[in-house]
Amino acid sequence: MGKVIAIANQKGGVGKTTTTINLAASLAALEFQTLIVDADPQANSTSGLGYNPKEIENSIYECMVEGVRPQDAIIQTDFPNLNLLPSHIDLVGAEIEMINLQNREDKMKNALDSIRDEYDFIIIDCSPSLGLITINSLTAADSVIIPVQCEYFALEGLGKLLNTIKIIQSRLNTHLSIEGILLTMYDLRVRLSNQVVGEVTTHFQQMVFNTIIPRNIRLSESPSFGVPALAQDADSKGAVSYLNLAREILAKNGMMPHEV
């Protein structure tokens, strides 16, 4: 059974999509069969891998609302071992359409259960909200990675997200765990970045990943080329950091990385 990891934070601009694409690409490069599930109506993971969301026929929306098989929506990307279950703008309407459905929180879990055996890792890019789609993502997940940017309002809203995770753990998904808190957009030259690292590490201790993701031009540029940073410049600090994160997650889960 593949491990399902949700990348979640209701705060926007913290690096959820960057983390989804580059962590998934790193796991794929280490020869683990990996699927990205784009559960954000903005479809940034879809466009960041070079696909036009407007041209997508079947997406996670059709799988959740219309019962389309995930196998009929999954795209094999140009990168070995990396597949994509895309999103498009219709996902915005899914929350409204699902309100009256029975077991509405389980729609994504039901869709992904049928393909879990085909992957080592399934990485879900959550939308920047705590709405029904994100609740579906957390209900479907085994664990959650919380990206936190090394900036002034880093801890803002984190308590609310952790409270939501506790509610889901108690009512919808008793097996959900926190994989870790990931510090992103770190700038060695900025004193505030170091203060945030200290503050988050003091607050959350063992929950914080050792790997810290730096601000890096390749991480910013690569989505415009429709590729992960690893494919654009494998030696860039951003690409190397996400490879290190992938190795850290593998070690935490007792899995041996296949070196690249």
Side-chain angles (χ1 to χ4, degrees), residues 8-12 16 39-42 95 126-135 138 161 164:
N9 190 333
Q10 78 274 22
K11 198 171 184 312
K16 284 189 294 295
D40 184 352
Q42 296 174 71
E95 301 213 350
C126 296
S127 61
S129 77
L130 291 178
L132 190 51
I133 303 297
T134 297
I135 288 168
L138 294 174
L161 174 61
T164 300

Side-chain angles (χ1 to χ4, degrees), residues 213-225:
I213 308 301
R215 280 197 178 276
N216 179 251
I217 192 70
R218 290 291 179 263
L219 291 177
S220 305
E221 280 180 352
S222 56
S224 64
F225 295 103

Side-chain angles (χ1 to χ4, degrees), residues 4-195:
V4 181
I5 302 176
I7 314 291
N9 190 333
Q10 78 274 22
K11 198 171 184 312
V14 298
K16 284 189 294 295
T17 299
T18 299
T19 295
T20 299
I21 292 173
N22 289 287
L23 171 59
S26 296
L27 290 166
L30 294 167
E31 296 183 13
F32 290 90
Q33 291 298 322
T34 307
L35 174 70
I36 290 174
V37 177
D38 191 350
D40 184 352
Q42 296 174 71
N44 289 336
S45 280
T46 302
S47 59
L49 284 171
Y51 301 96
N52 184 347
K54 293 176 183 174
E55 294 173 0
I56 297 295
E57 281 187 37
N58 287 325
S59 70
I60 187 64
Y61 166 83
E62 280 79 14
C63 296
M64 292 170 69
V65 177
E66 298 174 9
V68 167
R69 295 185 333 139
Q71 292 91 332
D72 296 329
I74 288 171
I75 297 168
Q76 288 191 322
T77 74
D78 294 333
F79 310 100
N81 309 318
L82 182 62
N83 286 3
L84 169 70
L85 182 46
S87 178
H88 58 55
I89 193 68
D90 285 356
L91 196 57
V92 171
E95 301 213 350
I96 297 164
E97 292 180 50
M98 288 164 60
I99 281 172
N100 296 320
L101 296 179
Q102 274 193 320
N103 303 317
R104 59 179 184 251
E105 297 91 355
D106 293 324
K107 295 300 176 185
M108 188 181 296
K109 180 181 185 300
N110 294 340
L112 297 184
D113 276 353
S114 66
I115 55 168
R116 277 182 71 138
D117 288 347
E118 298 171 32
Y119 295 97
D120 298 304
F121 289 96
I122 296 175
I123 312 292
I124 307 174
D125 186 10
C126 296
S127 61
S129 77
L130 291 178
L132 190 51
I133 303 297
T134 297
I135 288 168
N136 259 266
S137 301
L138 294 174
T139 302
D142 298 308
S143 65
V144 55
I145 291 174
I146 305 168
V148 173
Q149 84 283 35
C150 296
E151 292 178 358
Y152 185 64
F153 291 115
L155 297 177
E156 190 183 64
L158 204 51
K160 194 173 179 183
L161 174 61
L162 293 171
N163 192 47
T164 300
I165 290 169
K166 275 185 188 171
I167 291 167
I168 287 168
Q169 285 169 329
S170 63
R171 297 182 191 172
L172 297 167
N173 182 359
T174 54
H175 302 295
L176 181 66
S177 65
I178 295 175
E179 192 76 28
I181 292 171
L182 177 67
L183 290 158
T184 63
M185 304 179 191
Y186 175 74
D187 190 336
L188 182 66
R189 300 163 301 176
V190 177
R191 190 166 61 178
L192 180 62
S193 276
N194 294 304
Q195 288 174 347

